Amino acid sequence: MGIRILIVEDEKNLVKLLRGYFEKEGFEVYEALDGDAALEMARKAEPEVVVLDWMLPGLSGMGVLRELRRFSQAYVIMLTARTEEVDRIVGLSGGADDYVTKPFSPGELVARIRAMLRRPRGGDSEARKPLELGELTIDPESREVRLRGEPVNLTTLEFDLISVLASRPGFVFSRSRLLERVWGENYFGSDHVVDVHVANLRKKIEEDPANPRYVETVRGVGYRFAKR
Ligand code: CA
């Protein structure tokens, strides 16, 4: 039996096109037209590879990826419409294994998938290695954070927040950038929500939340993870 591959994309013509290419490769093809259907199908078909469109109706590509990572080890290749999205996708913990920017040639996509399958799982992907920062360890694979070896109980959002910040120690993330990367592009609300969650996060990881060692405030701009 061939590689099981799940196409998650709402553009029916593209799904049809990809299905043709994948079947020619001998892949066993599954499809889902929206995020919820994608998760249901991923549970049922247990694909080895998921081709995931970033822009989906309902649950976004990011939302699907986040949920998928809770139960699936599938390789994920994202389809993105704009190059600006790439940085967001790659930077996020539990992120995609690869991406292609639309428009792309199906032949190129197949080549990328073949290359991805040859790589050992998580082998050369920096993003999947646990990050060790001071007494803090952040493991993107298990989505676990440990402080001096003790597990810290973070919410999904807090985990995503610390992962984004810690992905680039010393880099200042503005509130709007954090909103975009953690909450997603469909979030409409006050920047203040970032402060609230940073405060909660600090209570869990900082010895003295008023005098943080890990998540620093950059006045008037946003937050950064301390470089050490
Ligand atoms: Ca789409």
Side-chain angles (χ1 to χ4, degrees):
M1 226 162 36
I3 296 287
R4 291 185 304 279
I5 189 163
L6 169 62
I7 309 168
V8 186
E9 166 65 271
D10 57 313
E11 287 164 52
K12 291 201 178 102
N13 289 336
L14 183 52
V15 174
K16 205 172 149 200
L17 178 75
L18 292 179
R19 174 181 272 280
Y21 270 84
F22 291 163
E23 281 177 347
K24 233 184 285 168
E25 288 294 310
F27 295 167
E28 197 178 318
V29 184
Y30 299 86
E31 52 188 68
L33 296 172
D34 64 57
D36 292 314
L39 292 172
E40 201 187 311
M41 188 54 94
R43 284 200 172 87
K44 226 166 31 193
E46 296 179 352
E48 279 107 346
V49 178
V50 178
V51 174
L52 178 59
D53 186 36
W54 182 260
M55 294 294 282
L56 289 170
L59 189 60
S60 70
M62 190 68 241
V64 172
L65 185 56
R66 194 177 287 164
E67 284 303 311
L68 190 70
R69 282 294 180 231
R70 293 178 196 276
F71 65 89
S72 169
Q73 292 298 307
Y75 288 91
V76 176
I77 186 159
M78 297 280 314
L79 308 180
T80 81
R82 299 189 302 266
T83 34
E84 305 92 81
E85 289 177 341
V86 166
D87 142 78
R88 194 158 27 134
I89 294 163
V90 174
L92 281 173
S93 109
D97 296 281
D98 202 356
Y99 62 87
V100 291
T101 308
K102 289 179 183 177
F104 57 87
S105 85
E108 187 202 339
L109 180 61
V110 168
R112 293 280 199 95
I113 290 167
R114 289 280 181 209
M116 201 161 67
L117 287 168
R118 279 194 298 269
R119 287 202 299 264
R121 195 72 182 95
D124 56 3
S125 164
E126 277 299 314
R128 315 213 128 262
K129 274 191 217 145
L131 284 167
E132 285 188 34
L133 302 130
E135 295 174 323
L136 208 59
T137 312
I138 303 169
D139 186 351
E141 278 283 340
S142 62
R143 295 183 60 87
E144 205 175 43
V145 170
R146 286 174 177 271
L147 183 62
R148 289 184 292 272
E150 293 295 315
V152 183
N153 190 16
L154 298 184
T155 64
T156 303
L157 213 137
E158 286 160 1
F159 183 85
D160 292 340
L161 187 58
I162 196 171
S163 299
V164 169
L165 287 165
S167 69
R168 295 177 74 179
F171 180 85
V172 182
F173 288 89
S174 66
R175 287 175 179 79
S176 57
R177 195 170 166 102
L178 287 171
L179 275 180
E180 196 183 280
R181 292 189 53 168
V182 177
W183 279 260
E185 62 199 1
N186 296 321
Y187 178 82
F188 297 102
S190 157
D191 283 9
H192 183 61
V193 71
V194 177
D195 304 320
V196 173
H197 288 277
V198 166
N200 290 340
L201 182 60
R202 279 175 175 159
K203 278 182 214 151
K204 295 181 183 180
I205 61 163
E206 303 283 1
E207 216 156 311
D208 177 7
N211 201 358
R213 174 182 168 192
Y214 295 107
V215 180
E216 301 171 340
T217 302
V218 181
R219 208 164 287 281
V221 188
Y223 296 99
R224 81 174 153 224
F225 203 91
K227 205 169 185 169
R228 54 195 68 246

